[in-house]
Structure formats: structure tokens, C-alpha cells
Amino acid sequence: MDVVNPASGEVIAQAAMAGSADLDKAVAAARAAFNDTQWSRMPPAQRSAMLYRCAQLIMANAQELAQLEVSASGGTIGRVTGLDIPAVVDLFMMLAEEVVDYPFVENLAPRILPEMWHTQVWKQAIGVCGLITAWNFPLLLFGLKVAPALAAGNTIVIKPSEATPTSTIRLVEILQQALPAGVLNVLNGDGPSLGEPISLHPGIDKVSFTGSTAVGKRVQVNCAASLKRCTLELGGKGPGIVLPDADLDMVAQGALWGVYMNAGQACESGSRLLVHEDVYDELLEKLAQRSAEVVVGNPMDPATGMGPMSSQAHFNKVLSYIQSAIEQGARIICGGDQAAVAGCEGGFFVQATVLADMDNQMKAAREEIFGPVLAVIKFSSEAEAIALANDSDYGLSAGVWTRDLVRAQQIATELNAGSIWINDWHMMRTDAPFGGFRQSGYGREFGKYSIDSYVETKAVSTSFETSPSKKNLHRIVHTQMA
Ligand code: NAD
């Protein structure tokens, strides 16, 4: 299958497409590696050293990985080298630290009644994990799933998006230097030929999926057939509430960082801005001014702030959302069309776009556009703003812009989202949990929280009462006991 550079429209690579027979082989390799107890019961300290080694290998190969990532995904070189790859390295190092103290074995305090049992709680690897990722941050999504799955002692079959397989395939190849054979396997393929078979495969014990809500629901249904463990990281429609006391220059800059990062192709984007009526017009002016300064360009150029849409089809979809908003009564404050980029004439670029006078019921306010499009909605009271923010199928990110931090905390308690950001956006730390409420999915990634998604919990109880006559509970059945 062709891999296309979205900045030029040119084919940059061809990737083999795997089918069910290849999946069977990969699952068999992963199962054999899991059954080798040297891997699945490796002491945490040894596993930690292995994760550090993975981090070192990623750092040592950062330049090559960055080139592959930018050329297939259209993410800017500044972000991929300055944020994504350091974050992936940090994730592996964070998990290397967390795994040492992770409660793989815990003792419960003894209880006297009904008798002296000693109970331990063990956390054990689940088995073979099928990891399915999206095209928007291939390396980052790899790190979010692979690092904790390895930390817990699982083995892996990973499927990147068929649109952006190159960086994942190369990274799996690189990490073979640190991992035993069969532990980490990669297959390229699309949803119908490979994604579906992964979610249905009887040899896969857990699926972790990142992608759209529509496909996520299908994955969950497939997993339900065998009650496979399932984690879903899905879409979002993040609302940011601007209170009238906010620093409007900071909001203009920060809200646009919230929506234009990766040209809006981020699940946690702040794509709805709810603005108090007292500051609405002034803020719109500032948003238009700052948007016009954003450099849309070749993602390989370090001066570029916003790269292309991931594909021609996605480009068309983003423009059609803008069109639908206009038809439903929205006003374009800036952008709204294809962006011309010299030297990248075949690319799929969209202008930085702000839509004013949006209503929360409009299609462009309810559905995930996944492009550089900010929907601005006016409100009159805080209660209205909170209701508007929560009036969404999604619940991944939400935020508040205000100088009153006490009020911000109070509003945060009322917002239904997995990440709440006060006076900034995209504040994601590798040690803080990240994941969705409602149709943004469930399960948490990042840090020690992510290990929880890759273990089964077992209660192991031992009785120290050796006299049959003193086994108090047995009297329920053995009513004739001495
Ligand atoms: P997508 O759902 O189209 O595809 C995601 C992955 O699923 C791809 O690898 C694809 O090949 C595979 N797939 C497609 N059909 C499948 C099927 N029937 N069964 C199993 N797998 C199948 O999503 P996308 O367009 O690649 O990515 C964009 C979406 O991902 C957006 O909705 C975005 O919000 C979401 N996303 C969420 C997070 C998060 O952490 N919550 C992070 C990044 C992206």
C-alpha cells in the first residue's frame, strides 16, 4: 500500500498489507514469548533496565524516526523533535521508574474473623495485547501503549494506522535490540483486513485502541464476543470557557495553541471556545489577529507552525464542516479555505480558521472536525457556560480561562472530562493520567495509571488454621462438626 506525504501528495513509501494469516503468525510468536516465564515473570528491576534501554535506543535513533514521522503524518519537525520524541523517551523512562515500585504484590492486613487468613493481591500480565493506533501522533501513541504493556510483562502485536506505518515499523525494528524475540511484533494493515481480525482474534487477550469513536464502538462490540479486555482512547470536542476577567491576550494565544497544535488533528484539541458576552467582540478581534500570524507551511521547515491535513479525504472533510457551519449561520472571522503553500502545491493544507456566532447545536460544534477550526460560542452566565461545555457526546478535555483560580477549581468540579486545563491547554504530563469520559472512551494512559490497564488482579489467600474443628465457616455445611 502507498504511504503518501500529506505535505506534497507524493508517495514516499510502500508498506506490505498483512492479513489474517500474518496475524495468526504474529499472535503465535507473541504467545510463545509470553509463555516463556523468563519474560512474563521477569523481576521488575530487570524489566526497568530493559525499558531504560528502549528509551536510549529511541534517543539514539531520534533523527531517523523524526524524518519518518514528519514525512508520513505531516506533523511539524519542530513539534516531533521538540515534543513528541522527547515525550516518548520520557514515557519509557517514567515507566522504567514506576515499574520498580508498582504494587505487583501487596499484602492485606490480617483480619481475625472468621479465621486467620493471609491474603495477598497480585497483579499479573494479561497476555498477548493487540494495540491499534491512529495516524495523528504515531510515535507518541506507540509509547503510550507499548511502554506500559511491556512494563507489566505482556507481549504485543501492534497495528499502526495504514496511513502512517513507517515510523512504527522502524521503531519496532530498533527495539528488537532490547527485547527478547516475539515480545514486540508489528503488522501493517487497514481496519477491515487487520483491525477487525485483531479485535476478534481468540489468541489476543486485550485490545487497546486509539482512534475515532465510531470505530472504537465497533472494537468494543468485537471484544465483547470473548470478553477480551478493552481500552478505548477516542475522539473529543474540548470546550474552553472564557470568563470576563481572563487575560484576553493570553486567551487568544493559548486557545489557538489549543486548537491549532498538529493543525487541529489532536483528540484533546480545544475546538469549542465558550466566551462571555462582555469580552466576545474584543476576543474575536484578537483571535483573528493571532490566527493570521500562524505560519502554515512545509512541516519539514522549523519555521512552520501548522502543517497539512493527513490526507486528501480528510482535507475535504474539514472544508465540508466549515461549509456546513456557514450554511447553519456561522460567521468566518478568519481562514475558512485551502491554504496555499509555496513548494508544497500538492499538499492538503487548510487555513487557520475561526468561526464566530456558532450555536452548540450546529454540526460543526457537535462533531469532531479534526482540523484547524475554532468554533466560538457566546454565553451570558457561568451556569450557561458549564451547561454548554457539558452538552457534548465527548468528554476528553475541557478548560477555564480566568484570573480567579478558586472559581476555576469550582467550575472544574462541574466539567465532565478526563483532563481539565486552567489557563492553558494540552497540559499533558507523562506521570498524569489521560483518558476520556463518556464517548471519548475509558481507561487511562500515561505513567503508573497506564500499567493498571495491562494487568489482571488476583487475590491469593492462605489459611493457617490446621485444625479442622476450628474452621468456623465449614460449620455452615458440616453442621455435625465436633
Ligand atoms: P480511525 O478510527 O479511523 O482509525 C484508528 C485505527 O483503527 C487505525 O489503525 C485504523 O486502521 C483502525 N481501524 C479502522 N477500522 C477498524 C476496525 N473496524 N476494527 C479495528 N480497527 C480499525 O481513527 P483515525 O482517523 O486514524 O484517528 C483519528 C481519531 O483518533 C480521532 O477521532 C481522534 O480524536 C482519535 N484519537 C484519540 C486519542 C486519544 O488518546 N483519545 C489520541 C489520538 C487520536
Side-chain angles (χ1 to χ4, degrees), residues 83-84 86-88 90-92 94-95 98 140-141 143-145 147-148 231 233 267-268 396 419 421 426-435 443-454:
L83 186 64
D84 298 18
V88 177
D90 193 26
L91 271 164
F92 273 87
M94 170 70 58
L95 267 298
E98 293 289 357
L140 195 54
L141 300 178
L144 286 169
K145 296 188 188 308
T231 300
E233 297 287 348
C267 49
E268 80 282 3
L396 194 57
S419 292
W421 292 319
H426 302 298
M427 288 191 274
M428 294 154 85
R429 304 168 39 141
T430 52
D431 59 348
F434 178 78
R444 292 294 178 267
E445 294 192 320
F446 284 94
K448 66 181 174 205
Y449 305 96
S450 56
I451 304 179
D452 298 343
S453 304
Y454 292 95

Side-chain angles (χ1 to χ4, degrees), residues 448-463:
K448 66 181 174 205
Y449 305 96
S450 56
I451 304 179
D452 298 343
S453 304
Y454 292 95
V455 289
E456 290 281 25
T457 302
K458 197 184 258 181
V460 180
S461 299
T462 308
S463 169

Side-chain angles (χ1 to χ4, degrees), residues 132-137 141 144-145 159-163 189-192 194-199 209-216 218-219 222 232-236 265-268 310 314 317 368 370 394 396 428 434-436 440-441 445:
I132 301 175
T133 58
W135 47 256
N136 56 346
F137 298 95
L141 300 178
L144 286 169
K145 296 188 188 308
K159 185 198 98 58
S161 165
E162 64 278 17
D190 60 18
L194 188 61
E196 286 271 319
I198 286 176
S199 59
F209 171 86
T210 295
S212 61
T213 294
V215 175
R218 199 174 160 80
V219 168
N222 287 344
L232 300 172
E233 297 287 348
L234 310 176
Q265 300 163 112
C267 49
E268 80 282 3
S310 63
H314 186 53
K317 189 173 147 197
E368 191 182 36
F370 229 51
Y394 296 109
L396 194 57
M428 294 154 85
F434 178 78
S440 290
E445 294 192 320

